Amino acid sequence: MFDPAEVRALLIEAARARQTFTYGALLGILGHAFTRPLMRQLCKVLDRIDEDGRACGEPGLAVLVVRQSDGLPGQGWFVARTGIHADLPLAWEGAEAKRYTEARQREAFDYWNRA
């Protein structure tokens, strides 16, 4: 349903502009209204993009897609990275999660502005 190359290109463009997307905004750009089933499908594509990027030594891009309510990635983003990142916070909400998310976003912004 979602073309990983198209989504990746949008995320790289956002990283270069030092911007994030809400899940709803990204779905809208991709031509869909927000629904939970579509968001879950999009999250699978985001995880694949990050897995492929990690294999190439790139920082994650999925961290650039956040909830409108608090500016954090969804719980699934944190859970999918358990065991991959030693510094992952225990909670996926709150100040610690916000600091962690912002640090990962800066990594993506900096990387794609050097590339």
Side-chain angles (χ1 to χ4, degrees), residues 31-58:
H32 301 278
F34 179 92
T35 66
R36 294 247 177 240
L38 283 176
M39 185 183 75
R40 283 191 290 275
Q41 288 180 15
L42 177 61
C43 288
K44 289 178 184 179
V45 171
L46 294 172
D47 284 342
R48 178 177 163 198
I49 289 167
D50 273 4
E51 288 170 16
D52 292 347
R54 197 168 33 256
C56 297
E58 298 171 353

Side-chain angles (χ1 to χ4, degrees), residues 10-21:
L10 288 167
L11 294 174
I12 291 170
E13 183 179 318
R16 288 184 173 143
R18 298 185 177 277
Q19 296 179 335
T20 61
F21 290 113

Side-chain angles (χ1 to χ4, degrees), residues 8 11 14 25 29-30 39 46 54-55 65 75 80 86-87 89 95-96 112 114-115:
R8 177 180 158 82
L11 294 174
I29 290 167
L30 294 168
M39 185 183 75
L46 294 172
R54 197 168 33 256
V65 186
Q75 174 184 346
D87 62 340
E96 184 181 0
W112 290 105
R114 285 190 307 262

Side-chain angles (χ1 to χ4, degrees), residues 38-109:
L38 283 176
M39 185 183 75
R40 283 191 290 275
Q41 288 180 15
L42 177 61
C43 288
K44 289 178 184 179
V45 171
L46 294 172
D47 284 342
R48 178 177 163 198
I49 289 167
D50 273 4
E51 288 170 16
D52 292 347
R54 197 168 33 256
C56 297
E58 298 171 353
L61 287 166
V63 71
L64 303 180
V65 186
V66 298
R67 296 182 297 230
Q68 183 175 355
S69 62
D70 61 6
L72 293 171
Q75 174 184 346
W77 182 85
F78 288 96
V79 171
R81 281 141 189 88
T82 302
I84 297 172
H85 301 285
D87 62 340
L88 193 70
L90 297 176
W92 46 77
E93 295 180 321
E96 184 181 0
K98 185 74 166 173
R99 281 190 299 274
Y100 182 83
T101 297
E102 289 171 348
R104 300 298 76 79
Q105 289 171 340
R106 279 191 304 276
E107 287 174 358
F109 296 159

